[in-house]
Amino acid sequence: MGWVNETPLAQIREKKMKITNITTYQVDLPLHEGNYNWSGGKSVDVFDSTVVIVETDEGYTGVGEICPLGPVYLPSFARGARAGLAELSPLLIGMDPTALEVLNRHMDINLKGHPYVKSALDVACWDILGQKAGLPVAILLGGKYGSNFKLYRAISQESPEAMVKKVEKYKNEGYTKFQLKVGGDYQTDIERIHAVAKIMEKGDTLVADANTGWLMHDAAKVVAAVRELNVYIEQPCLSYEECLNIRQRTSLPFILDENIDGISQILRGYNDRAMDVVNIKISKFGGLTKARQARDLCVSIGLAMTIEDTWGGDIVTAAIAHLAHSTPTNFLFSSTDFNSYVTQSIADDAPQRQNGCLSINQRPGLGITAKMDVLGDPYFTCDSNESVNFFTSQEL
């Protein structure tokens, strides 16, 4: 008769993994360079990151992380992330973490907007799915391309001379892609771009990222002054319409970032010929599930991408690495390793930069293990009773 499955079919259909506990932690991530400066005089010296650990009734545990770039970059902030997680966590108890589309629709129905809040939960569930399947998340996202991928280095906004020295330092460490933080005084920005362009070599990539910092008349002067250089212009102005205006004034390759937070924006930009590259930040889309959808759309329409996030430590870096490593090499314009910018490690076996490149390990899931001694006491927990228990005197 051959092999017979003695488990009733109805029982197989009903069997599913369940989320039993969600614990949230707050952790500070100081910077190696002391601070990070970008357009409009914005600066951060310690990143406030939130780590989520999702536990299941089958013993699998997934980790996620959300780390906004302070409260003044995007409509997201660290304490808002934790408040949103306290709102959503009770609603996910008992759900199947491997049913990611169902889970994401449930989060969207019960919390309008706030994709960054949902991102850490979604990533943690991908970690669980990978462990359950016995495969790295990158394989589940489509498969791994190559043995590694190249990284960019963000160069904090300083004097032209100081930025040149930083680029030289990181060139010696193997980086070939550099993202200059401009978006300040336009004349100084022109000097910054020209100064760094002089030390670029064949195969190097230079991006002038204004992070929405220029008004149109200043952006127009900048693109005119650097038109002969081999440089990309990234997000010069605040609104999509302003950026499109500048795009139409220059032949330089163009990147959009802050205005790209969903598939509809990608399609609009593509139809308007508004950019040559888009920046997909995982938490801005709401997690790996929707970032993968955006990535696959870009591949389908022939649009290159930078794969990254707003900021973070080891866990965010691992999530970035799995999405980037599963992106076709010729479509991956760049990516980054945020854990190399900060002094605090929060997970074992996280991807580590080697000669300006990054790669994932072959362990199932994200392939990392949270350092519980570093995370310390929970910020709050949510258990099978669907009750949120806070362990901090801080206000949300």
Side-chain angles (χ1 to χ4, degrees), residues 189-240:
D189 284 335
I190 292 170
E191 293 175 16
R192 289 172 173 131
I193 298 166
H194 273 276
V196 173
K198 288 180 181 178
I199 64 169
M200 291 289 101
E201 300 174 279
K202 184 178 180 180
D204 289 346
T205 300
L206 179 61
V207 176
D209 183 8
N211 287 120
T212 76
W214 292 321
L215 296 179
M216 282 190 293
H217 69 110
D218 285 337
K221 286 180 276 190
V222 173
V223 297
V226 302
R227 63 184 179 277
E228 302 300 326
L229 301 180
N230 184 12
V231 60
Y232 289 74
I233 302 299
E234 180 167 346
Q235 194 69 40
C237 304
L238 180 61
S239 72
Y240 172 83

Side-chain angles (χ1 to χ4, degrees), residues 46-318:
V46 177
F47 288 98
D48 183 348
S49 192
T50 302
V51 173
V52 172
I53 295 182
V54 176
E55 299 174 65
T56 69
D57 63 345
E58 294 187 17
Y60 296 104
T61 298
V63 295
E65 180 187 8
I66 170 61
C67 184
L69 181 54
V72 292
Y73 172 56
L74 293 172
S76 61
F77 66 109
R79 291 171 69 183
R82 292 189 285 274
L85 287 164
E87 184 78 17
L88 270 179
S89 293
L91 305 176
L92 303 187
I93 300 298
M95 293 196 69
D96 183 352
T98 67
L100 284 151
E101 295 289 347
V102 174
L103 189 88
N104 273 271
R105 285 186 61 81
H106 188 71
M107 289 195 289
D108 289 342
I109 289 170
N110 286 282
L111 182 64
K112 186 77 170 178
H114 303 284
Y116 71 107
V117 171
K118 302 163 188 174
S119 181
L121 292 163
D122 176 79
V123 169
C125 291
W126 273 96
D127 188 19
I128 291 169
L129 177 62
Q131 293 173 49
K132 175 71 172 179
L135 295 169
V137 167
I139 303 302
L140 300 177
L141 291 171
K144 190 176 76 166
Y145 289 86
S147 59
N148 58 26
F149 55 91
K150 290 186 176 182
L151 303 166
Y152 79 79
R153 190 74 189 189
I155 307 300
S156 179
Q157 191 177 106
E158 298 181 69
S159 69
E161 298 77 16
M163 294 177 83
V164 167
K165 289 181 179 178
K166 288 282 179 63
V167 171
E168 289 175 333
K169 172 183 181 294
Y170 290 118
K171 279 174 70 69
N172 290 332
E173 294 181 12
Y175 287 96
T176 59
K177 298 171 181 278
F178 303 93
Q179 187 190 76
L180 298 187
K181 293 303 175 181
V182 289
D185 170 70
Y186 83 92
Q187 292 176 314
T188 306
D189 284 335
I190 292 170
E191 293 175 16
R192 289 172 173 131
I193 298 166
H194 273 276
V196 173
K198 288 180 181 178
I199 64 169
M200 291 289 101
E201 300 174 279
K202 184 178 180 180
D204 289 346
T205 300
L206 179 61
V207 176
D209 183 8
N211 287 120
T212 76
W214 292 321
L215 296 179
M216 282 190 293
H217 69 110
D218 285 337
K221 286 180 276 190
V222 173
V223 297
V226 302
R227 63 184 179 277
E228 302 300 326
L229 301 180
N230 184 12
V231 60
Y232 289 74
I233 302 299
E234 180 167 346
Q235 194 69 40
C237 304
L238 180 61
S239 72
Y240 172 83
E241 290 76 15
E242 291 168 304
C243 288
L244 182 59
N245 180 291
I246 301 304
R247 159 71 161 178
Q248 293 167 344
R249 300 186 190 201
T250 181
S251 60
L252 292 172
F254 220 77
I255 304 172
L256 286 184
D257 178 2
E258 283 85 348
N259 294 146
I260 303 297
D261 58 6
I263 284 177
S264 60
Q265 288 84 356
I266 293 173
L267 288 173
R268 181 187 182 192
Y270 175 76
N271 289 329
D272 291 342
R273 302 296 186 263
M275 69 282 186
D276 304 290
V277 181
V278 291
N279 194 325
I280 295 178
K281 288 181 165 66
I282 292 171
S283 64
K284 194 164 60 170
F285 281 75
L288 285 171
T289 300
K290 293 182 180 178
R292 178 192 60 172
Q293 294 170 351
R295 187 272 309 272
D296 292 347
L297 169 65
C298 289
V299 171
S300 296
I301 62 178
L303 190 60
M305 295 155 278
T306 292
I307 302 291
E308 60 162 350
D309 211 326
T310 50
W311 208 274
D314 290 316
I315 301 169
V316 160
T317 299

